[in-house]
Amino acid sequence: DAGVTQSPTHLIKTRGQQVTLRCSPKSGHDTVSWYQQALGQGPQFIFQYYEEEERQRGNFPDRFSGHQFPNYSSELNVNALLLGDSALYLCASSLGRFGEQYFGPGTRLTVT
Amino acid sequence: RKEVEQDPGPFNVPEGATVAFNCTYSNSASQSFFWYRQDCRKEPKLLMSVYSSGNEDGRFTAQLNRASQYISLLIRDSKLSDSATYLCVVKRYSGGGADGLTFGKGTHLIIQP
């Protein structure tokens, strides 16, 4: 039973560039949530996708956008990268919007 | 004021000791409560849900006090493998949906041999 997978594992980008991160949910799950975890902090909720639509959103600017595909996988896009966007980006999947969330291993983004 | 507050530690305790973590939350609309464990450079993993009646899972006991908006985690007979960061997490339900999980900064626990 495959768990949540994310790609890439690590990524280095330059300020101003754009990045796309990918997530495949755990088998049987249909909802994907994205979180940003800065060093020494707890994860912060970015947004949640269900039925290919953004359903809930945390306090993040419009530079952060996403997409969910018919197979329930998801992408997180960040435009105009800032140094402060350097963080571990975690994807969590669940069965339904209220289900227990299982986290993937994350993508570590470094912006230089 | 942060929505979920925890003492970041680190807590250095000898193997076999009992250790307790506390957490407070500010939003009374919070409806579900959890403790997650996160190992260094790994993803968070659910340790246990927290119920008003209190719940126990082996060496771990969690308590919730809704009146005081306070959550606790007790670890008995601590093992070296318990060394990790423990994240206090709350969840709200609003607008027909569930808000994302709200995490505290985490409490760092180091079990010493």
Side-chain angles (χ1 to χ4, degrees):
Chain A
D1 180 19
V4 181
T5 59
Q6 292 186 243
S7 64
T9 306
H10 296 86
L11 200 54
I12 299 175
K13 288 286 189 178
T14 303
R15 230 176 348 174
Q17 287 188 314
Q18 178 264 343
V19 68
T20 298
L21 311 182
R22 295 177 176 81
C23 171
S24 290
K26 181 178 165 65
S27 178
H29 285 184
D30 57 6
T31 303
V32 173
S33 302
W34 286 92
Y35 294 82
Q36 179 196 67
Q37 186 173 24
L39 198 61
Q41 305 293 317
Q44 280 196 286
F45 174 65
I46 302 174
F47 43 50
Q48 182 184 73
Y49 275 83
Y50 173 71
E51 292 185 336
E52 301 180 49
E53 288 189 18
E54 182 184 298
R55 298 293 179 167
Q56 305 287 125
R57 189 178 183 95
N59 189 25
F60 278 80
D62 292 345
R63 297 187 297 109
F64 290 78
S65 63
H67 190 77
Q68 185 179 34
F69 300 94
N71 67 352
Y72 308 120
S73 67
S74 177
E75 288 182 349
L76 164 65
N77 301 293
V78 187
N79 294 323
L81 284 166
L82 303 173
L83 295 179
D85 294 332
S86 295
L88 178 68
Y89 287 84
L90 294 159
C91 164
S93 75
S94 58
L95 177 58
R97 298 166 63 193
F98 304 94
E100 179 183 327
Q101 294 188 19
Y102 292 78
F103 284 82
T107 294
R108 192 163 297 278
L109 172 66
T110 302
V111 182
T112 62
Chain B
R1 183 184 172 188
K2 293 273 186 192
E3 189 165 345
V4 179
E5 295 208 59
Q6 298 180 248
D7 181 344
F11 283 46
N12 289 279
V13 302
E15 192 176 7
T18 295
V19 59
F21 304 138
N22 302 319
C23 163
T24 57
Y25 61 95
S26 60
N27 193 325
S28 60
S30 300
Q31 294 177 272
S32 298
F33 307 90
F34 311 91
W35 283 101
Y36 274 71
R37 171 194 168 125
Q38 187 171 27
D39 293 293
C40 187
R41 303 183 77 82
K42 299 281 190 180
E43 73 272 24
K45 293 187 178 177
L46 179 64
L47 180 66
M48 57 198 304
S49 301
V50 188
Y51 305 113
S52 296
S53 55
N55 49 301
E56 188 173 310
D57 182 2
R59 298 181 293 109
F60 298 83
T61 301
Q63 294 276 355
L64 166 64
N65 184 320
R66 284 187 184 271
S68 302
Q69 296 182 195
Y70 171 97
I71 304 161
S72 66
L73 177 68
L74 184 78
I75 305 175
R76 290 181 299 279
D77 186 24
S78 54
K79 313 289 185 191
L80 295 176
S81 58
D82 293 335
S83 297
T85 296
Y86 290 83
L87 298 158
C88 178
V89 184
V90 305
K91 187 174 184 179
R92 292 192 307 269
Y93 299 86
S94 62
D99 289 349
L101 301 177
T102 301
F103 286 79
K105 289 178 68 171
T107 297
H108 190 41
L109 173 64
I110 301 170
I111 305 299
Q112 297 173 328

